[in-house]
């Protein structure tokens, strides 16, 4: 039986992913800030992540879902500490988990890593420069890592969701939500279950000739 680790697994896309993995017979461990997570750890804390993952045992599939939106103001109004916090979770968090699981994947000659970026990482959203830049960094990390592992049986891909109905968007104003939906050709938000279906395929034995790639799931908004 394969074993998966899903960060941010207590909510939204991560929770849907865990549900799908479990339905497919994959043993799944969640890593999240929430006390009910299997590993209640801050993903940005390198030492804590490395210790928790070492204790958890072999991981075949890693899904990096933990993420924060960060500051929602123009760049010149952002405090440096808030910029750093966004990068610490979204980028260093992804680095930390990859760093901890990859040696075991190489040893076993099999692994699947799925990093959750965002359409913001491709397009840049106004008043979300820290988030957009951090999600672009996740794309760069994925492309490099995919090449580093290309002949080791470990494939690494990223996905770029558009607006997905999850707790992350619970504070978004009706007006902003309407604007965001108006930019989606399908005219609706996506669901966490739809995103989990793509993550599941990228984590499976069916995904064999894609690595360092970016898969769009945005209702037609960012088809590049
Ligand atoms: P969500 O419902 O807010 O879930 C994110 C989870 O990550 C939460 O359980 C959160 O815990 C956890 N988390 C936050 N900081 C953490 C940390 N430092 N260490 C460990 N866990 C942490 O969000 P979501 O919508 O499912 O988002 C999942 C991923 O998809 C994120 O990377 C997000 O950027 C990306 N994404 C989402 C959308 C969207 O429209 N929803 C679109 C594009 C990309 P707390 O709740 O305790 O903070």
């Amino acid at each position: 039986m394969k074993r998966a680790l899903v960060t941010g697994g207590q909510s939204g896309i991560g929770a849907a992913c865990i549900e799908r993995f479990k339905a497919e017979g994959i043993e799944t461990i969640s890593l999240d800030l929430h006390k009910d997570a299997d590993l209640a750890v801050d993903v940005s804390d390198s030492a804590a992540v490395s210790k928790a993952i070492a204790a958890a045992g072999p991981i075949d599939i890693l899904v990096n879902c933990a993420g924060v939106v960060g500051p929602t103001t123009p760049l010149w109004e952002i405090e440096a500490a808030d910029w750093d916090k966004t990068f610490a979770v979204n980028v260093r968090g992804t680095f930390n988990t990859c760093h901890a699981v990859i040696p075991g994947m190489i040893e076993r000659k099999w692994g699947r890593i799925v990093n959750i970026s965002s359409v913001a990482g491709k397009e840049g959203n106004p008043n979300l420069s820290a988030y957009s830049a951090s999600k672009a960094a996740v794309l760069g990390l994925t492309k490099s890592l995919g090449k580093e592992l290309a002949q080791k049986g470990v494939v690494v891909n990223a996905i770029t969701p558009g607006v997905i109905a999850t707790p992350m968007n619970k504070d978004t104003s009706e007006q902003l939500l309407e604007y965001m939906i108006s930019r989606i050709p399908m005219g609706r938000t996506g669901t966490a279950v739809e995103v989990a279906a793509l993550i599941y395929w990228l984590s499976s034995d069916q995904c064999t000739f894609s690595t360092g790639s970016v898969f769009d799931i945005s209702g037609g908004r960012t088809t590049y």
Side-chain angles (χ1 to χ4, degrees), residues 49-103:
V49 167
S50 137
K51 192 172 161 199
I53 292 181
I59 300 295
D60 307 299
I61 298 165
L62 168 66
V63 181
N64 282 304
C65 265
V68 290
V69 173
T72 53
T73 55
L75 181 144
W76 58 94
E77 292 173 10
I78 295 175
E79 300 288 340
D82 293 333
W83 177 275
D84 288 348
K85 170 82 198 303
T86 311
F87 269 71
V89 179
N90 296 354
V91 189
R92 180 143 52 87
T94 301
F95 164 81
N96 284 341
T97 52
C98 288
H99 196 267
V101 304
I102 286 169

